[in-house]
């Protein structure tokens, strides 16, 4: 954390081991850099050293999530004396050169290729990490420099390569099968994830089929090996709040627009807020601050609870206020159903699924349906004003992945717990946070420094896992102070029954649907728009494909105007 000088001072003052002693007696994480084009060796070495050498052979199998994200670094070539190769050049175009420094002329050739813009100094590194469900550890298996010119086809090849090497090394038999790919919503990763992991319907011969087929509306399309796409829930929390706080806000079915201006009129009624604090809540300095997003969601939920008596009085003459609060109540029900499963540690897994089912069913209601044909008039005028296609897709995909992963856990080991916090790419984000901390939050570091710091972050993370009382946590990724003053909720803190085998998925899904219908029945929405049982009798319609024709909103080819029927 403080480098060589701090270690020297602590060695002298507290008699802790010196750097020389640590280097000779302790084992540190080393990550193999990607030099040249991505090949088998880059994955295999990191899987062997980072996972096989640290996992005991007798450990039970776990489901595995593969995570992908990028880090910005300085454009600079570096010489690896160990390999006598030039690193830091983009992997996409490195096939045009030989990175080995055999002679002076080789160095001149590489420099000329860079000058002619045929090969590029990297601007970012793509990091692929592996994390097990029911474990907190993250294992980087690829760190590749990128010039940001890769397209979806390139990234599809990289992810296929990662999945193939996981099986080829036998990791799927010793650690566990890959269940999901998690990303934070990068456009390229988004398109590739859909292409790879929403490409074929779940086989009726799959052990998952008997569970999931009894959850009407759940999209049943997966990738090879039943791998599903996942999005980080904390990223979705932030997107929801950014949407609410934007000038355009969210348009609901009664035509009311909920935005920062509207909410500022009502949130000041809460006893814990004044005008200044409401302004800060609705216009945060850092839109990426998760605790701030959670606080806003909880404030909206609290506002709705405080106005129940007024809303129950149907003879109130204040029509505008009533219409506003009815819209806010609908929004509150949606976001409460999404937030509570992640922060209320008293919920059982069954109750968490009920909340998420309620959330995904209510979320479908702005898209009206007819039993004979689909009515596109309302959705043409309001669908984008309710929320973006991509956010709609991400939300439903995240819920779908959780349902699939719970079913997979029930098949793999029904006696093991399933912790919702293991979904998403939070562990990769935390690893990035520790990496930036080592560099003093300075992004101006070379490729070799990033490689070293990612390895050091893995060692620091292991130390904090052994001594959690020393971990200060990461404020921007915290889910707030829902439980006493806990900064980062984890599986050990969960009090509800989250044993996977104790959760009846179809029943919980059905209960959530009934909760959604109960909520929507009190609104001004025509009941025909939430006749879910009749609607999902059509096998071509589900939560991700509300308009048949295999159209997925949030995927480029589906964003065109749909034909009227």
């Amino acid at each position: 954390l403080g480098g060589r000088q701090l270690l020297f001072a602590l060695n002298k003052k507290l008699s802790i081991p010196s750097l020389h002693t640590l280097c000779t007696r302790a084992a540190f994480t080393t990550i193999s850099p990607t030099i040249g084009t991505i090949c088998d060796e880059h994955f295999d070495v990191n899987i062997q050293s980072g996972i096989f050498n640290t996992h005991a052979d007798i450990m039970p199998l776990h489901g595995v999530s593969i995570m992908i994200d990028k880090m910005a670094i300085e454009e600079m070539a570096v010489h690896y004396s160990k390999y006598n190769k030039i690193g830091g050049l983009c992997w996409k175009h490195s096939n045009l050169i030989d990175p080995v420094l055999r002679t002076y002329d080789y160095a001149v050739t590489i420099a000329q290729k860079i000058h002619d813009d045929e090969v590029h100094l990297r601007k970012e590194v793509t990091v692929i990490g592996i994390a097990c469900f029911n474990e907190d550890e993250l294992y980087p298996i690829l760190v590749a420099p990128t010039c940001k010119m890769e397209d979806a086809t390139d990234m599809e090849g990289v992810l296929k390569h990662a999945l193939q090497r996981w099986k080829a090394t036998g990791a799927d038999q010793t650690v566990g099968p890959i269940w999901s790919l998690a990303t934070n919503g990068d456009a390229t990763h988004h398109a590739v994830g859909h292409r790879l992991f929403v490409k074929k319907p779940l086989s009726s011969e799959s052990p998952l089929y008997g569970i999931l087929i009894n959850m009407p509306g759940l999209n049943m399309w997966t990738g090879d090996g039943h791998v599903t796409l996942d999005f980080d829930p904390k990223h979705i929390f932030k997107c929801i709040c950014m949407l609410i706080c934007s000038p355009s806000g969210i348009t609901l079915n009664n035509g009311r627009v909920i935005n920062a201006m509207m909410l500022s009129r009502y949130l000041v009624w809460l006893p814990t807020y004044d005008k200044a604090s409401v302004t800060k809540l609705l216009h945060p300095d850092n839109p990426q601050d998760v605790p701030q997003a959670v606080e806003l969601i909880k404030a909206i939920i609290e506002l709705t609870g405080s106005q129940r008596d007024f809303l129950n009085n149907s003879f109130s003459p204040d029509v505008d206020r009533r219409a506003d609060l009815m819209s806010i109540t609908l929004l509150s029900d949606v976001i409460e159903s999404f937030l509570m499963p992640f922060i209320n540690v008293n919920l059982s897994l069954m109750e968490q699924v009920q909340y998420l089912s309620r959330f995904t069913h209510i979320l479908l209601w702005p898209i009206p349906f007819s039993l004979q044909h689909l009515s596109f008039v309302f959705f043409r005028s309001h669908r984008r004003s309710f929320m973006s296609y991509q956010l709609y897709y991400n939300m439903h995909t995240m819920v779908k992945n959780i349902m699939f992963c719970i079913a997979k856990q029930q098949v793999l080991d029904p006696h093991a717990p399933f912790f919702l916090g293991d979904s998403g790419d939070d562990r990769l984000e935390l690893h990035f946070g520790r990496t930036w901390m080592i560099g003093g939050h300075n992004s101006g570091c070379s490729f070799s420094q990033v490689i070293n710091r990612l390895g050091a972050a893995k060692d620091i993370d292991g130390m904090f896992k052994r001594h959690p009382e020393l971990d200060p946590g990461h404020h921007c990724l915290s889910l707030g102070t829902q439980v006493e003053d806990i900064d980062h909720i984890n599986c050990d803190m969960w009090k509800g029954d989250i044993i996977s085998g104790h959760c009846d998925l179809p029943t919980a899904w059905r209960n959530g649907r009934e909760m959604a219908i109960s909520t929507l029945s009190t609104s001004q929405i025509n009941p025909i728009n939430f006749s879910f049982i009749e609607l999902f009798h059509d096998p071509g319609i589900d939560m991700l494909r509300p308009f048949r024709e295999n159209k997925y909103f949030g995927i480029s080819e589906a964003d065109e105007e749909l034909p009227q029927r």
Side-chain angles (χ1 to χ4, degrees), residues 205-345:
E205 298 178 358
S206 167
L208 307 176
Y209 190 83
I211 302 172
L212 301 176
I213 194 63
N214 293 302
M215 301 169 68
L218 184 70
N219 180 272
M220 300 283 282
W221 288 61
T222 74
D224 295 332
H226 304 155
V227 180
T228 48
L229 183 59
D230 189 18
F231 293 99
D232 189 65
K234 292 183 181 179
H235 181 73
I236 295 177
F237 291 154
K238 294 183 290 186
C239 289
I240 291 173
C241 291
M242 291 171 65
L243 178 62
I244 293 172
C245 294
S246 67
S248 56
I250 293 178
T251 301
L252 295 182
N253 202 33
N254 61 2
R256 294 282 164 165
V257 177
I258 300 178
N259 56 19
M261 183 177 295
M262 177 208 261
L263 290 173
S264 64
R265 296 200 300 268
Y266 297 106
L267 290 179
V268 291
W269 294 354
L270 296 174
T272 54
Y273 291 95
D274 55 21
K275 187 175 181 180
S277 59
V278 167
T279 300
K280 184 177 180 180
L281 189 64
L282 294 172
H283 304 281
D285 296 331
N286 180 13
Q288 303 300 318
D289 193 333
V290 175
Q292 193 86 347
V294 171
E295 183 182 353
L296 174 58
I297 293 174
K298 290 166 67 177
I300 294 173
I301 296 170
E302 184 183 352
L303 172 66
T304 299
S306 68
Q307 299 299 310
R308 292 292 184 189
D309 290 341
F310 174 81
L311 290 171
N312 291 333
N313 181 12
S314 57
F315 299 101
S316 173
D318 196 338
V319 179
D320 285 338
R321 174 187 169 189
R322 181 178 178 81
D324 283 349
L325 290 175
M326 286 182 67
S327 295
I328 294 173
T329 298
L330 281 174
L331 176 63
S332 172
D333 289 336
V334 173
I335 57 181
E336 179 185 31
S337 299
F338 184 57
L339 177 64
M340 287 300 121
F342 294 95
I343 70 170
N344 187 345
V345 299

Side-chain angles (χ1 to χ4, degrees), residues 393-523:
Y393 178 93
N394 292 358
M395 287 175 167
H396 280 295
T397 299
M398 186 215 70
V399 174
K400 166 192 168 180
N401 176 71
I402 289 175
M403 302 306 150
F404 265 79
C405 288
I406 293 174
K408 291 170 185 176
Q409 184 63 67
Q410 291 175 339
V411 171
L412 180 66
D413 181 5
H415 303 292
F418 183 87
F419 177 54
L420 258 60
D422 288 338
S423 62
D425 68 344
D426 192 42
R427 283 168 285 185
L428 184 58
E429 294 284 352
L430 289 170
H431 199 85
F432 282 0
R434 301 210 193 284
T435 303
W436 291 126
M437 175 188 67
I438 295 170
H441 300 279
N442 178 17
S443 60
C445 56
S446 68
F447 178 53
S448 60
Q449 287 175 320
V450 166
I451 292 289
N452 293 334
R453 290 172 184 176
L454 284 168
K458 178 73 177 66
D459 295 328
I460 291 172
D461 193 60
M463 184 272 293
F464 280 142
K465 294 297 183 296
R466 293 188 296 272
H467 302 281
E469 72 278 4
L470 301 178
D471 187 1
H474 293 268
H475 172 75
C476 286
L477 293 176
S478 167
L479 282 174
T481 56
Q482 176 75 7
V483 190
E484 296 168 354
D485 286 318
I486 292 169
D487 188 50
H488 187 70
I489 297 173
N490 59 42
C491 185
D492 294 334
M493 300 169 184
W494 210 266
K495 300 177 182 178
D497 180 7
I498 56 174
I499 300 300
S500 60
H502 296 172
C503 176
D504 183 344
L505 274 175
T507 299
W509 184 262
R510 182 175 63 251
N511 292 345
R513 182 187 68 211
E514 296 306 315
M515 291 164 62
I517 292 174
S518 176
T519 297
L520 296 173
S521 297
T522 62
S523 69

